[in-house]
Amino acid sequence: MNRVVLAYTGAADTSAGIGWLKEAHAAEVVAVTLDLGQGGDLEAIRDRALALGAARAHVLDLRDEFARGYILPALRADALYEDRYPLEAALAWPLIARKLGEIAAIEHASSVAHGGNAPEGELSPLNATIRSASPNLEIIALPRAERGPVLAVNANLWGRSVDCSRIDDPWGEPPEHLYTLTKTGADAPNEPAYVELAFERGTPVAINGVAMPLVDLIVSLTTIAGVHGVGRLDLVETGPAGRCRKVYEAPAAVVLHAAHKELTKLAVSRDLERFARQVRINYADLVCHGLWFTPFREALDAFVDRVQERVTGEVRLKLFKGACRTAGRKPAATRHATTDARQPIAAN
């Protein structure tokens, strides 16, 4: 019998996919649920996969690996889509691809499957990433589920996005019920919050003088910034499939990118910073196109690592009614630098 490793989210497409893979491909299904900080009861999702007919179901906690190996390199490179939007979904693709390949090897499976595939004959960025990581694996496209009134939501540690193209009114604001991580400006506190972020070689290591692991730091910032309405973004673009509109909530990403950019400006020369702008554009592009496992990304990481050796210091930010503004900067030369053994880990 064929064996297929399914990236199982518990959503309608992957839930229906278990039975479809068994019937259409005569396959034994091994469901894999990856904890990337999206929340929810993942053990219940695992039980659902087994109840739907999966032969085995695994739940992997990858939050720290996601933060250190994928979010952090993009943050240190200041990589944002169109220099504004966090790459919350795209940064997860290489980790998903690598883990699917690892589980497939353990389970002696020759195929992997996931929801959200491009139509037959087209190569989605996630598929391209899987093929780069595991070229010998067959990728099976699950049938697209009819969503009805349900909107497509993607969430993980780095943020949350909602595809609201189907209810899009270009002249109107996105409905308030789409947001779950951030308050409106009207509901945010009437007093600002000041957040001091410390960086060591481009890596955020402390909030308001309290050192903490990167995952905890991101979670804390998401809460603090979200309460003050910081982190809402609205993207409208036109592609081959027509106009697409997404709303983003990325409180921690918005705050960390703002602080990191300010500190980098103080740490490097004008010429080097100008060149780094082109690097971050290329970095964001390769992430979006599923080109993580390439020599190009490795070369960009080598450049970023060299530049970030100088990026040590503190940035003070003011969060108020949805706005995030720099209130102060303190490079390493004017502070007592500390040694932090928690250096960035290299992503495979």
Side-chain angles (χ1 to χ4, degrees), residues 14 18 45-46 72 110 129 191 287 298 303 309 313 329:
T14 55
I18 293 176
I45 291 176
R46 174 185 177 276
L72 183 57
S110 59
T129 310
E191 296 294 327
V287 171
E298 295 172 0
F303 170 81
E309 291 177 0
R329 309 156 185 85

Side-chain angles (χ1 to χ4, degrees), residues 147 149-154 160-170 172-179 233-236 243-248:
R147 297 194 202 114
V150 180
L151 300 175
V153 179
N154 184 83
R160 180 177 178 273
S161 65
V162 182
D163 185 345
C164 55
S165 303
R166 293 166 49 255
I167 61 171
D168 179 28
D169 173 8
E173 293 182 298
E176 189 60 34
H177 71 267
L178 298 182
Y179 299 100
L233 301 164
D234 186 1
L235 169 67
V236 178
R243 189 177 60 205
C244 172
R245 186 176 189 179
K246 289 185 178 181
V247 295
Y248 289 85

Side-chain angles (χ1 to χ4, degrees), residues 199-202 260 263-264 267-268 307-313:
F199 289 81
E200 297 283 355
R201 298 184 180 183
H260 183 265
L263 196 59
T264 299
V268 304
V307 171
Q308 294 300 302
E309 291 177 0
R310 309 173 182 216
V311 183
T312 296

